Every structure is written in structure tokens, then in C-alpha cells.
Amino acid sequence: MTELAEYLIQLDHVGIAVSDLNTALEFYQGTLGMVPIHQEENLEQQVVEVMLQPPGGGALIQLLAPLTSESEIAKFLDRNGAGVQQIAYRVSDVTEACAAARAAGIRVIYPNAKRGTNDSLINFLHPKDCGGVLSELVQVN
């Protein structure tokens, strides 16, 4: 087991980029029966996000819609269209998990953790070092 694995607790959520939040909510709530449990605007990340709980529990779905055309989510949508943008893992300590990732040769996107959904602390691991998947580390406070 790698040192990074020592900090992983569970799959936290799957982030999905959407261009129209209301249409996405209609599908996830109406068709899939998911329940919104948190919504906020993250001005630093320039997104509005909604966390949804699946009917049977488990990992959450995070819908991410851009607030500006300059946001990373807007750029993702321009390149790829709507779809899975990242997979997030809950960690016990995001700072220590990032240090372990760096020690393993994995590039970390931000020099220091940033505020994420519901005042969590987050950072991202470069997709080129994670099998092509943008991976988010989330420390829930």
C-alpha cells in the first residue's frame, strides 16, 4: 500500500459538468430519484454546485455549472461537453494526502488546499498522473 492510500477513506462524489443546472436537476431528481442535499455558489471556482444523494445512499453526485465563461467548468464544457469531470476521494487530511501524492510523483494542482463544497478542504491530482482522471481529494470539516 502506498503512503497516499493511508489517507483515503472512501469515494466521496463524482463531479459532473453541466451547462444547464435546472435541466440536469430535473433528470437527476425526476428520473433517478436523487435528493439535493446542498447547493452553493463557489465564487473562487466560478461555479454553482449541487450535491445530490442517491436514493440508496453511498457516494454523492455533484453537478457543476459555470458562473462565468472563464471558469474551469466552462472550459471543460467547451472542450468535452457535459459529463464526468472528476472523481473525488474523501481523505482524513488533505494537506498530508497531497504531500504523499507529491512524494509518489503525482502532480498536485494547487500549492495549498482550497475551500470546496460546504467548507470542505480540497485539492486535485493531475489527470495525466492518475490514469487520465482528474482526481479530487476532499477533507470534510
Side-chain angles (χ1 to χ4, degrees):
M1 172 163 43
T2 67
E3 189 175 331
L4 177 57
E6 295 173 24
Y7 297 98
L8 297 179
I9 297 171
Q10 68 185 47
L11 182 64
D12 188 80
H13 67 270
V14 175
I16 300 174
V18 300
S19 55
D20 184 327
L21 186 60
N22 290 329
T23 299
L25 280 170
E26 286 176 22
F27 172 75
Y28 283 92
Q29 284 183 275
T31 304
L32 299 180
M34 294 192 178
V35 178
I37 60 171
H38 181 79
Q39 181 171 343
E40 70 178 85
E41 286 186 4
N42 185 323
L43 298 179
E44 181 179 4
Q45 305 269 334
Q46 301 175 28
V47 297
V48 59
E49 52 191 273
V50 178
M51 298 300 274
L52 298 159
Q53 177 73 58
L60 303 175
I61 296 295
Q62 177 188 47
L63 301 179
L64 298 155
L67 288 172
T68 70
S69 60
E70 290 79 37
S71 74
E72 289 302 317
I73 292 299
K75 293 174 187 174
F76 177 91
L77 288 165
D78 287 343
R79 281 190 314 272
N80 306 297
V84 174
Q85 186 262 344
Q86 41 96 351
I87 295 179
Y89 302 95
R90 188 171 300 173
V91 296
S92 55
D93 184 313
V94 72
T95 301
E96 292 296 321
C98 287
R102 287 183 185 101
I106 299 170
R107 288 173 282 178
V108 176
I109 302 297
Y110 304 131
N112 298 301
K114 294 189 176 212
R115 187 187 82 72
T117 303
N118 208 16
D119 291 323
S120 61
L121 293 175
I122 64 164
N123 210 328
F124 293 91
L125 305 180
H126 200 287
K128 289 185 178 176
D129 300 333
C130 298
V133 178
L134 179 63
S135 298
E136 181 179 11
L137 302 178
V138 179
Q139 178 183 327
V140 175
N141 290 325

